[in-house]
Amino acid sequence: MNTTEDSDVVIVGAGPVGLMLANILGMYGRSVTVLEALDDLIDYPRGVGLDDESFRTIQTVGLVDAVRPHTNPQHVMRLVNGAGKVILVNNPQTDEFGWERKHGFIQPEVDRALYQGLSRWDTVRVLFGHRVEEVVEDATSVTAMARVAGADGEVSERRFRAQYLVGCEGGKSPTRKRLGVKFEGESPSTRWLVVDVNNDPLGTPNVFLGADPKRPYVSIGLPHAVRRWEFMLHDDESEDQVTDPAFVNSLLAEHVPDPSTLEYIRRRVFTHHGRVASHFREGRQLIAGDAAHLMPVWMGQGWNSGMRDATNLGWKLATVLSGQADDALLDTFTDERKEHAKAMVDLSLTFGRFIKITNPVAAAARDAASTALNLFPQVKSYFADMRFKPMPRYTRGVLADPTTRTAGRAAATLTSRLIPVRTANNKVSPVGVQFPQPRVTTTDRSDILLDDAIGNWWSVIVWGNDPTRMLPTKSLDTLATLGARLVAVVPETQRDWAQQYMDAGVLVLGDHTGRLKKWFDDRPTPIVFLRPDRFVAGACLAQDAPATLDAILEAMHFVGSPAETAVPQGDRTPAAQSA
């Protein structure tokens, strides 16, 4: 007789998204079962780009030290034409979220670091060789039936019941197909050959995108002396032909002095896809990562988009499971993530069309236009600093409009006619975007990243004042129920004074770099309600804080919870890693 094994969440798929989501839920004390059909993690290279937003999430779950050795920070990309002339450079220098904007990385090693990190949480387990073939959902739970092959070849079935199931099984997601969710978009017919080798025969550390009309290509230097090439294939070239060693060697003849001596990791043909699911939740089942969106490789955003999903969904599941919010909160996962995922897909498709032009006349026109535009410093820096990449901005979800304090929606601009707003240097609303992460100083630690100081849950950040003196008792009681940390940021020169003046329950941070002062100086929003995923839920003047908080709680379907069932704050935060 089959027994049913219980946990809070079942995650199907031990890829990077499933592993990160399990780490986040484990950090919040939730029980998780990860079911993976394969017998081990995938060990061949796939994604090659890791961005600053993803590194911030890695920091949150305390795995910076484990991941950092498998990365190549400040990964510069150069777009070159058929003659080898550089027509565009992408080398962003900003570190607003605490980390370099771009890293090359070895995905199998980073994925394994995420997997090994799960051993810290005794509420999380990963079961390999468990293929989910049927899922049954009722009003209170969802049960996954997994097929398991024993060492003797005998097949058995195990049943896993949870309150929610998240499908993270990749682009062919059985979860998405079972739910009947549409996967909208396109799959361009262009095929590419990817070639990975060990002992990089070139040794150059960065990325070259070859916009060569004869055969567009990519050459990428990666950590651990791995080199990747990708070559666009012509329609008359079969998969057997292009994976033949002699053919591959002929492609590499213009790149490597002696291709015959290369140590190949793999040679594989793939097709780009640009698709986004119509919605990411159906009842007690959700999809994330490639199961919810597939994008071409050009912007290096497939892995990172999956990390954004896990970052967004993890705290929401933890909140619902703790009893602090109605599960309507989970509907905001689609509201907040779908549009940005689609924007990244569209940008990747557009960039791919720009690179893979094969008509010589059109390619010459592209090269001439790029050369002319590079003469303008503003245009050149637009590409160099990666400002063409759409940063996530949530306009619907767990938000409060900074002007009207409407729950669940937030305009992108501040429109109040009050003088502090009319005279502000920056009228772009900070609500719905990520808060920066400069370094700060506390009584106990110097020069640490902001997130390591404030912890992994909700925070109320106030510039230059004691939040307990700016908020009424009712609001403070609600914030205590939510488990929010009260934070005061002051110039480093005032930190000792603030430590004595302010309430003992307020975390005082010294802004020794001046970067937070600059942020608050530019915006008429001295009070910021910061979500666990580091997005701003609300920002306002002091007198608007109670109404702003009420709107945020309405948007997140907050119901409160007894102290003993609230989401843990602080005690489960991984050790700070501010390398």
Side-chain angles (χ1 to χ4, degrees):
M1 180 177 178
N2 286 329
T3 59
T4 300
E5 303 171 52
D6 291 320
S7 56
D8 291 332
V9 179
V10 164
I11 297 172
V12 185
V17 181
L19 295 171
M20 178 56 82
L21 182 59
N23 269 286
I24 294 171
L25 290 170
M27 178 179 70
Y28 290 135
R30 311 318 310 185
S31 60
V32 182
T33 301
V34 182
L35 303 176
E36 170 55 54
L38 300 177
D39 293 328
D40 200 351
L41 301 177
I42 295 176
D43 62 356
Y44 55 79
R46 289 166 291 156
V48 296
L50 192 161
D51 68 17
D52 52 348
E53 297 171 68
S54 294
F55 230 109
R56 194 173 189 178
T57 298
I58 291 166
Q59 173 195 351
T60 296
V61 297
L63 292 176
V64 166
D65 290 346
V67 168
R68 195 79 161 159
H70 309 299
T71 67
N72 178 12
Q74 215 61 46
H75 214 204
V76 181
M77 184 274 288
R78 295 180 177 88
L79 178 65
V80 299
N81 63 15
K85 180 182 178 181
V86 176
I87 57 178
L88 185 153
V89 176
N90 176 222
N91 183 23
Q93 299 295 310
T94 58
D95 63 350
E96 62 185 310
F97 299 137
W99 303 97
E100 299 87 351
R101 288 292 298 278
K102 295 176 62 181
H103 306 72
F105 80 122
I106 301 296
Q107 183 178 339
E109 297 295 341
V110 172
D111 288 358
R112 189 158 293 278
L114 298 182
Y115 167 65
Q116 292 171 343
L118 294 176
S119 63
R120 300 170 298 166
W121 320 121
D122 57 12
T123 58
V124 179
R125 59 176 175 166
V126 180
L127 301 177
F128 291 101
H130 284 61
R131 182 179 300 278
V132 175
E133 297 194 333
E134 184 181 357
V135 174
V136 176
E137 181 178 337
D138 59 32
T140 60
S141 66
V142 58
T143 302
M145 275 68 79
R147 180 178 180 272
V148 185
D152 57 0
E154 184 177 345
V155 176
S156 60
E157 180 182 271
R158 294 178 70 178
R159 301 167 61 90
F160 301 90
R161 182 172 55 208
Q163 293 190 49
Y164 296 96
L165 178 147
V166 185
C168 304
E169 329 100 303
K172 297 181 180 179
S173 169
T175 301
R176 186 190 67 243
K177 293 176 181 178
R178 274 194 302 269
L179 295 175
V181 175
K182 294 181 180 178
F183 210 27
E184 301 159 341
E186 60 180 280
S187 295
S189 60
T190 307
R191 298 168 302 141
W192 292 77
L193 173 68
V194 60
V195 180
D196 292 316
V197 301
N198 278 320
N199 301 318
D200 184 353
L202 303 183
T204 55
N206 296 308
V207 182
F208 293 87
L209 301 184
D212 186 344
K214 292 183 296 184
R215 189 188 294 273
Y217 67 89
V218 183
S219 177
I220 309 174
L222 293 170
H224 304 337
V226 173
R227 166 71 52 174
R228 168 170 294 181
W229 285 277
E230 296 176 15
F231 297 96
M232 195 177 87
L233 301 177
H234 301 309
D235 291 341
D236 60 347
E237 294 170 337
S238 69
E239 183 166 347
D240 288 342
Q241 175 189 357
V242 301
T243 54
D244 180 79
F247 184 89
V248 175
N249 288 349
S250 70
L251 291 179
L252 292 172
E254 291 188 65
H255 296 260
V256 180
D258 184 5
S260 66
T261 63
L262 297 179
E263 183 185 335
Y264 290 103
I265 300 173
R266 68 166 179 166
R267 298 180 288 259
R268 183 178 173 218
V269 174
F270 70 96
T271 302
H272 293 163
H273 301 276
R275 296 182 179 275
V276 180
S278 57
H279 52 287
F280 299 175
R281 180 199 179 190
E282 191 76 36
R284 292 185 171 273
Q285 301 181 61
L286 304 99
I287 52 175
D290 285 355
H293 40 74
L294 282 172
M295 59 193 68
V297 300
W298 302 114
M299 301 306 301
Q301 287 297 303
W303 195 92
N304 296 294
S305 292
M307 291 299 105
R308 293 187 191 102
D309 287 352
T311 307
N312 186 287
L313 181 58
W315 74 268
K316 294 176 180 178
L317 278 170
T319 300
V320 172
L321 291 165
S322 74
Q324 284 195 326
D326 183 88
D327 81 344
L329 170 61
L330 301 180
D331 290 332
T332 66
F333 177 46
T334 300
D335 293 338
E336 294 183 348
R337 285 295 305 131
K338 180 180 176 180
E339 289 307 311
H340 184 259
K342 185 178 185 303
M344 292 308 309
V345 168
D346 292 344
L347 179 62
S348 297
L349 287 169
T350 300
F351 201 62
R353 295 186 190 104
F354 182 80
I355 291 170
K356 64 184 186 181
I357 294 173
T358 55
N359 181 293
V361 176
R366 173 201 61 201
D367 297 348
S370 299
T371 300
L373 289 172
N374 271 319
L375 297 175
F376 297 91
Q378 285 186 322
V379 175
K380 189 173 183 178
S381 67
Y382 178 76
F383 290 102
D385 295 337
M386 212 171 176
R387 283 184 280 130
F388 57 85
K389 172 190 170 185
M391 296 300 294
R393 170 178 282 282
Y394 303 150
T395 58
R396 293 187 302 148
V398 185
L399 312 164
D401 187 90
T403 303
T404 66
R405 286 164 296 286
T406 301
R409 294 184 179 273
T413 56
L414 304 170
T415 58
S416 169
R417 298 307 298 162
L418 289 174
I419 287 177
V421 177
R422 285 163 39 204
T423 59
N425 186 45
N426 189 340
K427 295 181 177 63
V428 176
S429 171
V431 176
V433 299
Q434 274 196 72
F435 196 69
Q437 189 188 196
R439 290 182 174 270
V440 296
T441 297
T442 71
T443 300
D444 303 321
R445 293 183 285 174
S446 298
D447 196 42
I448 63 172
L449 288 168
L450 175 69
D451 295 355
D452 290 338
I454 65 176
N456 59 27
W457 197 237
W458 283 84
S459 297
V460 181
I461 300 179
V462 176
W463 172 260
N465 210 335
D466 185 340
T468 66
R469 301 183 184 217
M470 301 179 74
L471 294 165
T473 300
K474 179 182 177 183
S475 295
L476 292 172
D477 289 345
T478 302
L479 290 168
T481 300
L482 180 61
R485 171 164 274 170
L486 303 181
V487 181
V489 181
V490 298
E492 178 61 18
T493 55
Q494 296 182 38
R495 183 165 57 81
D496 288 343
W497 164 83
Q499 203 71 57
Q500 299 175 40
Y501 168 78
M502 295 187 185
D503 186 270
V506 174
L507 173 67
V508 176
L509 302 180
D511 177 33
H512 65 284
T513 69
R515 294 178 73 170
L516 280 169
K517 179 180 181 294
K518 176 68 166 62
W519 191 93
F520 281 104
D521 184 58
D522 283 347
R523 297 164 179 82
T525 52
I527 296 183
V528 172
F529 295 89
L530 193 63
R531 303 177 353 173
D533 59 3
R534 315 310 183 185
F535 278 76
V536 177
C540 59
L541 296 169
Q543 288 188 349
D544 287 333
T548 298
L549 174 60
D550 289 345
I552 293 168
L553 297 175
E554 180 183 344
M556 70 178 286
H557 304 275
F558 182 74
V559 296
S561 66
E564 63 270 17
T565 62
V567 174
Q569 163 63 23
D571 59 332
R572 297 188 64 86
T573 304
Q577 300 179 53
S578 302

